[in-house]
Amino acid sequence: MAKTKTTFYCQNCGAQHSKWQGQCSSCKQWNTLVEEVIQKKDTKDWKTEKSPVKRTPKPTLINDIQYEQETRLNTNNNELNRVLGGGLVPGSLTLLGGEPGIGKSTLLLQISLHLNYKTLYVSGEESQQQIKMRAERINPTPANCYILTETKTQQIFRQIEKLEPEIVIIDSIQTLHSDFIESAPGSISQIRECTSELIKFAKETHVPVLLIGHITKEGSIAGPKILEHMVDTVLQFEGDRNHVYRILRAHKNRFGSTHELGIYEMQGEGLREVTNPSEILISKNDQDLSGTAIASTLEGMRPLMIEIQALVSTAVYGTPQRSTTGYNAKRLNMILAVLEKRAGFRLGAKDVFLNITGGISVDDPAIDLAVVAAILSSNEDIAVERDICFAAEVGLAGEIRPVPKAEQRILEAEKLGFATILVSKQTKLPQKKFNITIQKASRIEEVVEYLFG
């Protein structure tokens, strides 16, 4: 009987070690090495039969390579198409991660029920009856969706050869296991082996594959980091289960931008696409409340109007608190230092709380001026007028700096009915007439004088 071969894999980066040690020598993380069986069978291929002998590829001059623009597959979901860069690329491997219960399976099942292509939905977590119950709620009359409940990759590929689907969805990669690896499903070696087989299948058949991946308590996708390097696209489905809105972001995309954003609303019949997110991110409160300002931000090519709330109060304890939700805490400390040093506001002994409504996170520096306006509004207890919005960056010298794509931000504010937008004096705008007042400023003192003077 052959001796069982084992090795040690790092759960964080996937590095292989011959023996156990406390610290991984690749990523320097402690206590991440686990022992796994690596004994494999002699032959392996995603096909059930022995594949024919192929010619060895030879180097080709780049100018001699024939290239045709491939047509992307329309998912009939505008938000997903935007994040992917126009649709699914044939032969691509897309990984979708998110917290438990956030709606990953619902999103991909909903897409598979509305696709115009023959789709195979492989589930290793739910029975066919459970999926049928959810499908009846989402779309009672699906036409091209086939359901398979299986976890062994060899059986899945056998069914794929019979059915010949145009799109394959796997729920989830952590439940699959291959006969070529003698370890438990969800282990590092199994995830890597199953993903490798799916990549070979996708590239050889030009069938796009979508994978659902679990995430760890730190928020990263479970399994070795090499999993994210192997796939073509990594999508993250974010949101608070206590809120109805979900956000789809691309952390990696070989076929498009990683700055696009998709927004969904969770309803009883599934996920609804939000076509105008600015309306849901701004509260419909008619009262003038201090500590509130509207900022014009940009996610990819999509302009968004977001509401920023600030609360400034006297510190009850010795050390003032600085708390943010959806905004970089270090950048808040920088802005408070600029207000104290350059504008003369004494905020060092006060608590400052900052929140971006809607449960989204924004790192666009163009919202700096809105953050300043919200903080000063709360500090002075004077409300900023509801028809004023902001789009500018604040520098360390207290200057107001211009931001890119200012015209798109102004047009979005104009479309939503704002009367005035504050921008930097250095902002370059086209020679056209806007139906919104563009107020320009070069320093924080000018903004304070305009708002509260």
Side-chain angles (χ1 to χ4, degrees), residues 274-284 294-297 302-307 386-390 407-421 435-436:
V274 178
T275 56
N276 190 3
S278 296
E279 293 184 355
I280 68 170
L281 297 175
I282 300 176
S283 62
K284 304 298 188 294
I294 308 299
S296 178
T297 184
R302 167 186 274 187
L304 298 176
M305 305 299 292
I306 60 174
E307 181 176 333
R386 299 289 296 175
D387 58 354
I388 297 178
C389 60
F390 305 85
E407 183 183 358
Q408 291 179 252
R409 303 172 194 267
I410 293 172
L411 291 174
E412 178 72 7
E414 180 183 308
K415 184 177 73 173
L416 292 176
F418 286 90
T420 307
I421 181 169
N435 295 324
I436 182 175

Side-chain angles (χ1 to χ4, degrees), residues 236-378:
Q236 191 81 9
F237 207 36
E238 304 171 351
D240 190 343
R241 282 181 290 178
N242 298 321
H243 292 78
V244 295
Y245 298 110
R246 305 286 189 268
I247 297 172
L248 185 67
R249 299 178 186 269
H251 287 185
K252 171 190 175 183
N253 192 353
R254 287 175 177 162
F255 313 110
S257 171
T258 57
H259 300 291
E260 295 296 337
L261 187 76
I263 301 181
Y264 297 88
E265 181 183 3
M266 178 63 80
Q267 297 181 339
E269 59 273 10
L271 291 159
R272 182 185 71 86
E273 300 174 50
V274 178
T275 56
N276 190 3
S278 296
E279 293 184 355
I280 68 170
L281 297 175
I282 300 176
S283 62
K284 304 298 188 294
N285 197 338
D286 296 332
Q287 298 178 351
D288 291 332
L289 302 175
S290 64
T292 301
I294 308 299
S296 178
T297 184
L298 213 62
E299 286 285 348
M301 297 301 293
R302 167 186 274 187
L304 298 176
M305 305 299 292
I306 60 174
E307 181 176 333
I308 297 174
Q309 295 177 328
L311 177 62
V312 179
S313 62
T314 304
V316 179
Y317 304 102
T319 304
Q321 299 184 64
R322 304 283 188 261
S323 177
T324 63
T325 303
Y327 189 70
N328 192 321
K330 293 182 178 179
R331 194 161 187 87
L332 173 63
N333 290 331
M334 183 201 77
I335 289 176
L336 293 176
V338 171
L339 290 175
E340 182 118 10
K341 177 76 173 179
R342 305 296 182 184
F345 289 94
R346 302 303 176 192
L347 302 173
K350 295 185 177 181
D351 293 335
V352 180
F353 302 94
L354 194 74
N355 176 49
I356 296 179
T357 60
I360 69 170
S361 298
V362 180
D363 55 2
D364 185 4
I367 70 173
D368 285 355
L369 191 56
V371 171
V372 168
I375 292 172
L376 297 183
S377 172
S378 178

Side-chain angles (χ1 to χ4, degrees), residues 179-233:
D179 285 340
F180 303 122
I181 296 291
E182 298 179 2
S183 60
S187 61
I188 294 173
S189 52
Q190 280 287 6
I191 291 175
R192 184 160 49 185
E193 178 66 27
C194 295
T195 305
S196 177
E197 293 179 16
L198 289 168
I199 289 175
K200 291 179 181 178
F201 160 73
K203 302 306 178 187
E204 291 180 14
T205 61
H206 295 279
V207 173
V209 179
L210 289 93
L211 309 175
I212 291 178
H214 300 163
I215 67 169
T216 62
K217 61 182 180 180
E218 290 83 14
S220 59
I221 295 176
K225 197 70 177 177
I226 195 173
L227 172 62
E228 298 181 43
H229 292 291
M230 293 170 72
V231 301
D232 298 309
T233 307

Side-chain angles (χ1 to χ4, degrees), residues 411-432:
L411 291 174
E412 178 72 7
E414 180 183 308
K415 184 177 73 173
L416 292 176
F418 286 90
T420 307
I421 181 169
L422 269 76
V423 298
S424 171
K425 191 168 285 187
Q426 287 80 33
T427 301
K428 297 180 180 179
L429 296 174
Q431 296 296 326
K432 60 181 289 188

